[in-house]
Amino acid sequence: MSEEYAIELKNITKRFGKVTANDKVCLSVKRGEILSVLGENGSGKTTLMNMISGIYYPDEGQIFVNGKEVTIRSPKDSFALGIGMIHQHFKLVDVLTAAENIILGLSGREVLDMKAVSAKINELTAKYGFELDPDQKIYTMSVSQKQTVEIVKLLYRGVDILILDEPTAVLTPQETDKLFAVLRNMREAGHSIIIITHKLHEVLALSDRVSVLRKGQYIGTVYTADAEESLTEMMVGKKVSLNIERPDPVNPERRLVVEGVTCVDKEGVTTLDHASFTAYSGEILGIAGIAGSGQRELLESIAGLEAMTDGTITYYPPE
């Protein structure tokens, strides 16, 4: 196998009963590149990466790392090969500090020297552009900070090939920009990075190449610079028109008026702060925000399931 590639997959197949999650998938990741693995929900992206990271074992096929065929039967095997995966749901102990989580499970007396551990963590964060306090408790961190701990945990263990599963799903646009800047720094340092996603704009902004899966099958790999027009068709198997006609509502009338709605949880934390909007007849109103932004509290207060501390909700029935 070519030594140009950090990982090569040959005819990887994985079945769960009668369901074939991956069907003879071939994929390659070059050294020092960011590869996006793109596909609709259920296309087999995460299953494929779980086999590289040792969570699943392929039923058929071969895996090559740095040109040599390997057998990966557990996450311990993948770590030994310099491969690490960051899942959508973080694997952290909330009551421990960032540094304690980063060294958790490592052997050797040196890991008990927390000053040396913190110094090494600070060296890594400075090198790649992270912002992280090694002594901060996990339960006080934002989602973005927890993700940083997961990435640094892998780097601390000497991982060269990083897999990130939907890393921006719970990040704000500003946090996403910071993450992308860090990933570019890691690429410049020679790391190979695989990102699982289905967000086209992120693929175009970050990756060097894009590999597309559809219904468990490998469709192809293209360079990102040449991919914008073909990716959607590769994902769904047909041309997709993005010119959606949106006719204006006919004779719109007020149906729901939300004014200054505020909610406070049992710990006294404000979960919704003076939210206001008006919904009209004949329209679809979207409510957007990352997880924990107050969408649930807003909808439950409208439904009468959440007590409000301030504000009014007025419903105007059709005449």
Side-chain angles (χ1 to χ4, degrees), residues 137-152:
K137 298 283 188 179
I138 298 298
Y139 67 83
T140 67
M141 292 184 175
S142 66
V143 174
S144 175
Q145 290 173 309
K146 291 178 182 178
Q147 187 180 71
T148 297
V149 175
E150 288 281 25
I151 296 174
V152 175

Side-chain angles (χ1 to χ4, degrees), residues 7-39:
I7 292 181
E8 289 181 275
L9 307 181
K10 296 291 185 180
N11 298 312
I12 294 294
T13 298
K14 182 64 180 176
R15 304 182 188 90
F16 297 96
K18 295 182 180 180
V19 177
T20 301
N22 292 123
D23 185 13
K24 294 181 172 57
V25 174
C26 298
L27 195 73
S28 61
V29 185
K30 295 180 180 180
R31 290 197 181 95
E33 80 162 351
I34 299 176
L35 176 76
S36 290
V37 179
L38 188 63

